[in-house]
Amino acid sequence: MTGLEPFGTRLRRAMDERGPLCVGIDPHASLLAQWGLNDDVAGLERFSRTVVEAMAERVAVLKPQSAFFERFGSRGLAVLEKAVEEARAAGALVVMDAKRGDIGSTMAAYAESFLRKDAPLFSDALTVSPYLGYGSLKPAVDLARESGTGLFVLALTSNPEGGEVQHAVRADGRNVGATMLAHLAAENAGEEPLGSFGAVVGATLGDLSSYDLDMGGPLLAPGIGAQGAAPADLPRVFGKAVRNVVPNVSRGVLRYGPDVVALRDAAERFAEEIRVAVAAG
């Protein structure tokens, strides 16, 4: 397989050139209705095409949530395939938010679905769940290295339920979330300017100074906008790792659709606020 330039290298360049904003493509039923669209495949396609048209030439990262496409079956997946293809062709990096996690050949098949260069849903990176043990991700790690793609591993998520797993303390005294960050630091060791193995860390979590977030890879940070976090919060939450944060905004931008100009303006406002916050941090 002929790999791309490593994902971390491509992401660092995109963040420097376009700003670090990631916009979600989350066509859930309430947003389709807000846009005046039906909750069907036609509405899904119109929504996705509009977001790609508005954002793909401007933001660093687009992050489709695969579940909102999968619920329409094969026709929904066809829409997702087209959205990914068009977004990448326009210069955006695509992070597929599928949160896959399994073992052995099944994990390998999930990885091939999104990280194999000739796969219909080929994306620049994939979100994965390590809670069958970090080692269960090895097939995805190996394929990402081979293909020049990346992973974002769930480490410290913003949902309240996550704490019962991620804050559980191991026999060595370190909690599970910190353990995942340590694994990622090992994956990224020696990689410049940015490693390809990132963590998902919620921007709504407040003071995370007890964690070593500076693990050499990107930090995908959901929670900006509708979930309550603001760009100005980023330095306080992420400390010296703030330059590697990829803040994700979904509803905070998407609620301005279906007007393309309004969507672009909203994204640019967030991007500028993030630039200012990161520079201040």
Side-chain angles (χ1 to χ4, degrees):
M1 180 185 297
T2 301
L4 298 166
E5 190 176 21
F7 171 68
T9 301
R10 294 184 290 124
L11 178 60
R12 177 79 273 161
R13 184 166 57 243
M15 292 167 69
D16 291 345
E17 292 176 356
R18 296 186 173 199
L21 181 66
C22 168
V23 175
I25 307 179
D26 296 354
H28 50 74
S30 62
L31 262 177
L32 294 176
Q34 187 176 328
W35 280 33
L37 301 173
N38 292 330
D39 187 20
D40 57 19
V41 173
L44 179 75
E45 184 171 20
R46 172 72 185 279
F47 182 96
S48 302
R49 283 186 177 277
T50 301
V51 176
V52 170
E53 178 188 350
M55 303 294 168
E57 294 182 347
R58 296 166 180 261
V59 302
V61 180
L62 286 174
K63 183 176 70 65
Q65 169 47 260
S66 66
F68 293 121
F69 296 83
E70 291 173 32
R71 69 194 184 102
F72 292 103
S74 61
R75 294 175 67 200
L77 288 173
V79 174
L80 179 58
E81 289 174 13
K82 193 67 174 175
V84 170
E85 178 187 3
E86 291 180 350
R88 296 190 72 248
L93 297 176
V94 172
V95 174
M96 183 61 69
D97 193 358
K99 298 184 177 70
R100 297 302 198 247
D102 215 304
I103 60 172
S105 59
T106 309
M107 187 68 240
Y110 279 138
E112 289 169 3
S113 298
F114 301 103
L115 304 179
R116 193 187 73 235
K117 188 67 169 69
D118 59 350
L121 286 168
F122 177 72
S123 303
D124 297 285
L126 172 68
T127 61
V128 291
S129 174
Y131 295 110
L132 287 172
Y134 183 84
S136 67
L137 300 179
K138 187 176 186 303
V141 171
D142 290 347
L143 183 54
R145 289 193 188 283
E146 181 182 354
S147 62
T149 55
L151 299 177
F152 283 99
V153 176
L154 302 179
L156 295 167
T157 59
S158 55
N159 62 304
E161 303 87 351
E164 69 181 80
V165 175
Q166 296 156 23
H167 299 163
V169 178
R170 293 159 32 100
D172 63 4
R174 186 167 57 185
N175 73 20
V176 173
T179 299
M180 298 307 158
L181 293 170
H183 282 303
L184 292 167
E187 301 287 7
N188 292 319
E191 296 295 325
E192 295 290 344
L194 188 66
S196 297
F197 299 95
V200 179
V201 177
T204 57
L205 293 177
D207 184 6
L208 294 175
S209 58
S210 61
Y211 290 92
D212 185 5
L213 299 177
D214 192 14
M215 47 71 177
L219 298 162
L220 182 62
I224 301 291
Q227 294 182 50
D233 296 327
L234 294 172
R236 175 177 58 84
V237 176
F238 293 97
K240 65 181 181 179
V242 70
R243 185 170 177 268
N244 295 336
V245 171
V246 185
N248 177 69
V249 181
S250 294
R251 284 172 290 172
V253 169
L254 299 179
R255 67 189 182 92
Y256 290 95
D259 184 271
V260 168
V261 173
L263 286 166
R264 288 174 176 167
D265 288 347
E268 182 52 41
R269 286 195 298 272
F270 273 108
E272 182 57 29
E273 289 180 32
I274 291 165
R275 288 188 195 98
V276 170
V278 170

